[in-house]
């Protein structure tokens, strides 16, 4: 009898837990966080809409032999991040080599960058396998997309001059498409701005060609949004009828930047334990080492370096921490939420903060200084985000269909392949509607690949790399984005601003200093023999008529040089009278 009661109680409990999948707003991570059918991970890829890698030489997406599952039904949580431009961006499937299966990258609350719209990535079949095409943030004012040939190998070598001050960061150069060829645009020093993280220009590979993504200003990690932990689902778990999922474990942004890696071959950032040597052999790079080479740029690490610019030991500490965790396995953070919950307290006593994830309920109620603030999500708004999820999927399918219409990439010498594109369902409001103190630019960035001027006088189409300094923000107005993001003219590249300013001062002081120097040095000529002086005097008057003849050819913008001529002519009689006085 007792065994039957236990069996009945267990059946009712299992039925109640399984029925939670049918109720919107329930979170499976709180019930079966450590089962074989579901495991919440405290490491894995970061949602591309939150952060995407930047490579100098874009590569094709990874290939896998397993077909990705259909996207699951994901419902945003009941607590929404506060902000006037915050939206819910759905999750997607990502391949994980350690699991040898797909894992679900949970959706995120995202504070949209001004003037940008999200173009989601997708999986597609390619040569009997399945390949990933990365998403990107496009300009909201672009009504068409241009698919370009593969850009040449990057010649970016970093800065060759010192920064104007420690308030500047280097923006790498890149290739720009013009008419039928590429031209190189050199890097420059860009002045940093508090609470804004600049994302340099880059290219994204697609099946139809390469898409140029111009540079833009984004929020730093601390105020960019909310990242939820990825989840591993068993196929029998999410394939049940009526299954839905709501993420509830928030990744701590203050901690995960200390365990941040880049995998440019996949276009993703990774957080957590990827310290083992085999990961570096598989294309994972520690954040401190990625900027030091010629592979690409890490804007997150660049902004952190700028924030800690007055701490000369900060970068060395990052290297030391990585090397220590690489050599000591017990110093690495756990891989799962269940393992994180049973970590020994002695680790915290040794100063190891492994709180990579926390429940959303705890984070939403914490009101500490600098912490993100949340508000309850009403049902109409939640239904709107659910409907928007369907629009995002349709938009991604339309992108996949559009980029699969052409099998071969455009070649050099051909015009760009332009196609009209619809507006993304996830688009920031126009920058004119954003508060001026929250907007880094007066207008959205409108750089597109077809605008640069490639007439540099070089048959190879390569411009010499020049170092340009971003103009400081004007007092009394919102800092505007440097004009170097727009395509510069060849003259501006070949003649940097500091060189033009250095030419004008000598012209202004030349007339006033010419005469005194000659009159002061006249007595020193007594040591010269008299015959040489008499022979030299007839030649000087003959040279004077040539100067007035050259004046009409010079531009009228140099009146100071013309006024200086009478002073030189008046000085000649004094020199001619000098020899008779010395003969007496």
């Amino acid at each position: 009898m007792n065994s039957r009661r236990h069996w009945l109680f267990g059946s009712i409990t299992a039925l109640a837990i399984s029925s939670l999948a049918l109720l919107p707003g329930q979170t499976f991570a709180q019930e079966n966080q450590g089962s074989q059918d579901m495991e919440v991970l405290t490491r894995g890829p970061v949602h591309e809409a939150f952060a995407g890698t930047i490579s100098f030489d874009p590569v094709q997406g990874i290939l896998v032999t397993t077909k990705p599952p259909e996207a699951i039904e994901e419902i945003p949580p009941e607590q929404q991040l506060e902000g006037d431009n915050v939206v819910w961006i759905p999750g997607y499937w990502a391949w994980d080599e350690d699991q040898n299966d797909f894992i679900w990258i949970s959706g995120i609350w995202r504070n949209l960058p001004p003037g940008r719209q999200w173009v989601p990535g997708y999986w597609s079949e390619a040569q009997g396998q399945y390949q990933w095409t990365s998403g990107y943030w496009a300009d909201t004012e672009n009504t068409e997309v241009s698919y370009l040939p593969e850009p040449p190998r990057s010649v970016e070598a970093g800065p060759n001059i010192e920064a104007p001050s420690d308030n500047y960061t280097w923006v790498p150069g890149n290739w720009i498409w013009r008419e039928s060829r590429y031209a190189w645009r050199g890097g420059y020093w860009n002045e940093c701005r508090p609470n804004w993280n600049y994302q340099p220009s880059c290219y994204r590979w697609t099946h139809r060609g390469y898409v140029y993504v111009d540079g833009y200003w984004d929020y730093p990690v601390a105020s960019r949004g909310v990242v939820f932990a990825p989840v591993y689902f068993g196929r029998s778990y999410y394939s049940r009828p009526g299954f839905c999922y709501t993420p509830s474990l928030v990744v701590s942004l203050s901690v995960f930047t200390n365990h941040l890696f880049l995998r440019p071959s996949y276009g993703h950032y990774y957080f957590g334990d990827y310290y083992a040597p085999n990961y570096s052999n598989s294309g994972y790079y520690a954040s401190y080492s990625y900027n030091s080479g010629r592979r690409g740029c890490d804007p997150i690490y660049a902004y952190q370096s700028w924030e800690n610019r007055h701490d000369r030991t900060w970068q060395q500490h990052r290297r030391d921490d990585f090397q220590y965790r690489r050599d000591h396995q017990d110093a690495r953070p756990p891989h799962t939420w269940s393992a994180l919950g049973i970590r020994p307290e002695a680790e915290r006593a040794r100063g190891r903060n492994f709180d990579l994830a926390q429940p959303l309920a705890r984070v939403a109620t914490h009101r500490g200084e600098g912490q993100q603030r949340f508000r309850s999500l009403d049902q109409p708004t939640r239904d709107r985000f659910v409907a928007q999820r369907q629009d995002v999927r349709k938009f991604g399918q339309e992108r996949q269909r559009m980029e699969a219409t052409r099998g071969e990439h455009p070649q050099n010498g051909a015009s760009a392949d332009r196609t009209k594109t619809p507006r993304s369902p996830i688009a920031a409001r126009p920058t004119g509607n954003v508060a001026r103190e929250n907007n880094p630019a007066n207008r959205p960035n409108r750089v597109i690949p077809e605008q640069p001027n490639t007439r540099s006088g070089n048959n190879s189409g390569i411009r010499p790399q020049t170092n340009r300094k971003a103009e400081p923000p004007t007092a009394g107005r919102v800092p505007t984005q440097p004009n170097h993001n727009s395509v510069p003219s060849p003259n501006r590249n070949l003649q940097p601003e500091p060189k033009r300013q250095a030419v004008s001062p000598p012209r202004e002081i030349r007339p006033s200093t010419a005469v005194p120097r000659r009159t002061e040095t006249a007595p020193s000529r007594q040591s010269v023999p008299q015959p040489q002086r008499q022979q030299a005097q007839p030649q000087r008057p003959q040279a004077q008529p040539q100067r007035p003849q050259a004046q009409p050819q010079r531009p009228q913008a140099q009146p100071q040089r013309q006024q200086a001529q009478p002073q030189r002519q008046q000085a000649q009689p004094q020199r001619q009278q000098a020899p008779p006085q010395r003969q007496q």
Side-chain angles (χ1 to χ4, degrees):
M1 186 68 179
N2 292 334
S3 60
R4 184 176 181 181
R5 288 180 180 177
H6 287 295
W7 175 85
L8 181 60
F9 177 78
S11 300
I12 295 175
T13 303
L15 180 62
I17 292 176
S18 61
S19 64
L20 293 176
L22 305 178
L23 299 178
Q26 298 297 327
T27 305
F28 289 100
Q30 298 176 353
E31 268 66 37
N32 296 334
Q33 57 189 6
S35 66
Q36 296 180 355
D37 293 332
M38 176 181 178
E39 186 73 46
V40 180
L41 308 177
T42 53
R43 73 164 190 168
V46 180
H47 200 297
E48 279 189 326
F50 189 85
T53 61
I54 296 178
S55 301
F56 292 157
D57 299 312
V59 296
Q60 299 184 12
I62 62 171
L63 288 166
V64 297
T65 57
T66 305
K67 182 179 180 180
E70 294 292 333
I72 66 175
E73 297 297 325
E74 186 182 55
I75 299 177
E78 297 179 353
Q79 298 293 331
Q80 179 187 3
L81 180 67
E82 289 186 357
D84 297 333
N85 212 16
V86 175
V87 300
W88 175 259
I89 301 182
Y92 55 91
W93 291 106
W95 179 257
D96 185 75
E97 284 84 356
D98 296 328
Q99 299 284 350
N100 196 26
D101 200 353
F102 286 93
I103 62 175
W104 180 256
I105 300 181
S106 301
I108 61 173
W109 288 116
R110 184 61 157 94
N111 196 5
L112 301 182
R116 292 284 144 174
Q117 59 179 341
W118 175 241
V119 181
Y122 61 90
W123 289 96
S124 60
E125 188 175 1
Q127 301 177 356
Q129 295 179 316
Y130 298 91
Q131 193 168 28
W132 173 254
T133 303
S134 295
Y136 59 92
W137 286 100
D139 194 336
T140 54
E141 294 193 358
N142 286 350
T143 59
E144 62 181 13
V145 60
S146 298
Y147 297 98
L148 304 173
E150 181 180 2
R153 188 174 182 82
S154 175
V155 296
E156 171 63 30
N160 52 21
I161 61 174
E162 294 292 335
S165 68
D166 60 0
N167 199 37
Y168 285 77
T169 184
W170 178 255
V171 177
N174 59 351
W175 291 101
I176 301 296
W177 178 261
R178 177 59 177 172
E179 296 177 354
S180 60
R181 65 172 183 172
Y182 280 101
W184 178 256
R185 183 178 65 180
Y188 58 92
W189 288 105
N190 189 19
E191 186 174 10
C192 298
R193 301 169 189 175
N195 301 324
W196 289 102
N197 192 184
Y198 186 72
Q199 310 295 311
S201 306
C202 65
Y203 285 88
R204 296 298 184 194
W205 173 89
T206 70
H207 291 277
R208 190 168 178 174
Y210 290 82
V211 177
Y212 178 80
V213 182
D214 53 325
Y216 62 95
W217 292 94
D218 201 349
Y219 298 95
V221 171
S223 57
R224 188 172 293 187
V226 179
V227 177
F228 291 89
V231 185
Y232 171 73
F233 290 109
R235 289 182 178 266
S236 60
Y237 191 78
Y238 61 79
S239 60
R240 294 175 297 172
F243 172 82
C244 63
Y245 169 71
T246 298
S248 67
L249 289 177
V250 177
V251 177
S252 177
L253 300 181
S254 61
V255 179
F256 102 110
T257 51
N258 297 329
H259 308 280
L260 199 59
F261 297 82
L262 299 92
R263 192 183 181 190
S265 61
Y266 198 178
H268 282 76
Y269 280 86
Y270 280 70
F271 78 97
D273 177 18
Y274 292 92
Y275 292 97
N278 61 299
Y279 288 110
S280 61
N281 299 332
S282 301
Y284 293 80
Y285 297 93
S287 58
Y288 80 89
S289 65
Y290 191 66
N291 279 2
S292 60
R294 297 185 180 182
R295 294 176 292 268
C297 172
D298 182 5
I300 296 178
Y301 186 81
Y303 183 82
Q304 288 181 316
S305 300
W306 174 75
E307 281 189 318
N308 298 274
R309 61 191 180 279
H310 300 301
D311 184 3
R312 298 182 179 274
T313 63
W314 181 81
Q315 294 188 6
Q316 184 61 39
H317 287 166
R318 295 294 295 267
R319 298 187 185 95
D320 295 341
D321 292 342
F322 171 82
Q323 294 175 359
Y324 183 82
R325 296 188 182 102
R326 181 194 59 190
D327 300 335
H328 298 81
Q329 186 175 359
D330 59 342
R332 305 170 189 171
H335 294 185
T336 63
W337 169 251
S338 58
L340 187 66
I342 61 175
R343 67 192 186 284
E345 294 298 332
E347 295 178 351
R348 185 181 298 275
R350 290 195 297 266
R352 299 175 185 173
N353 188 1
F354 290 156
D355 292 335
L356 287 176
Q358 297 181 10
L360 177 60
R362 183 189 307 172
V363 177
T365 56
H366 188 69
R367 297 296 182 181
E369 183 180 357
Q371 297 292 328
Q372 295 176 323
R373 297 186 178 273
F374 295 81
R375 63 188 178 192
S376 297
L377 187 65
D378 54 18
Q379 192 61 37
T381 306
R382 201 176 193 189
D383 295 339
R384 178 170 57 85
F385 284 134
V386 173
Q388 187 183 61
R389 178 194 61 191
Q390 301 298 332
D391 296 337
V392 173
R393 290 183 181 179
K394 293 180 181 179
F395 180 77
Q397 294 173 358
E398 177 63 21
R399 180 199 176 190
Q400 180 178 358
R401 183 196 61 80
M402 181 176 61
E403 294 178 351
T405 56
R406 185 171 180 176
E408 298 181 357
H409 288 199
Q411 302 297 324
N412 288 328
S415 59
D417 182 11
R418 296 184 176 182
T419 303
K420 292 287 184 179
T421 179
R423 183 180 177 87
S424 173
I426 302 176
R429 296 176 302 161
T431 53
N433 297 336
V434 181
R436 295 183 65 85
E437 62 271 12
N438 296 330
N439 185 9
N442 290 335
R443 61 181 184 273
N445 196 342
R446 300 182 181 180
V447 179
I448 56 177
E450 290 77 14
Q451 289 181 349
N453 191 339
T454 58
R455 294 175 296 178
S456 59
N458 192 334
N459 295 332
S460 63
I462 301 178
R463 290 185 187 175
Q465 180 162 335
T466 58
N467 295 278
R468 298 167 296 193
K469 182 177 68 176
E471 299 177 359
T474 306
R477 59 179 295 186
V478 178
T480 57
Q481 187 168 345
N483 294 332
H484 311 297
N485 292 331
S486 60
V487 179
S489 61
N491 295 333
R492 186 168 184 176
N493 277 343
L494 298 178
Q495 298 179 2
E497 188 68 19
K499 293 184 179 180
R500 292 201 300 265
Q501 294 178 355
V503 177
S504 56
R507 296 181 180 178
E508 296 178 358
I509 63 176
R510 182 176 179 180
S512 60
T513 58
V515 175
R517 289 182 179 178
R518 293 184 180 181
T519 55
E520 291 176 1
T521 56
S524 62
R525 296 180 180 180
Q526 295 179 0
S527 59
V528 182
Q530 296 296 333
Q532 294 181 2
R533 293 183 182 177
Q534 294 177 358
Q535 294 177 1
Q537 295 300 331
Q539 296 179 1
R540 292 182 179 177
Q542 293 178 2
Q544 296 299 330
Q546 297 178 1
R547 294 182 179 179
Q549 294 178 1
Q551 296 300 328
Q553 299 178 1
R554 297 181 179 179
Q556 298 179 1
Q558 301 177 355
Q560 296 180 357
R561 294 187 178 181
Q562 295 178 1
Q563 294 177 2
Q565 297 300 331
Q567 297 179 3
R568 296 179 181 179
Q569 294 177 1
Q570 292 177 4
Q572 297 301 330
Q574 297 179 4
R575 297 174 182 174
Q576 294 176 0
Q577 294 176 3
Q581 294 178 3
R582 295 189 182 94
Q583 292 176 2
Q584 292 176 2

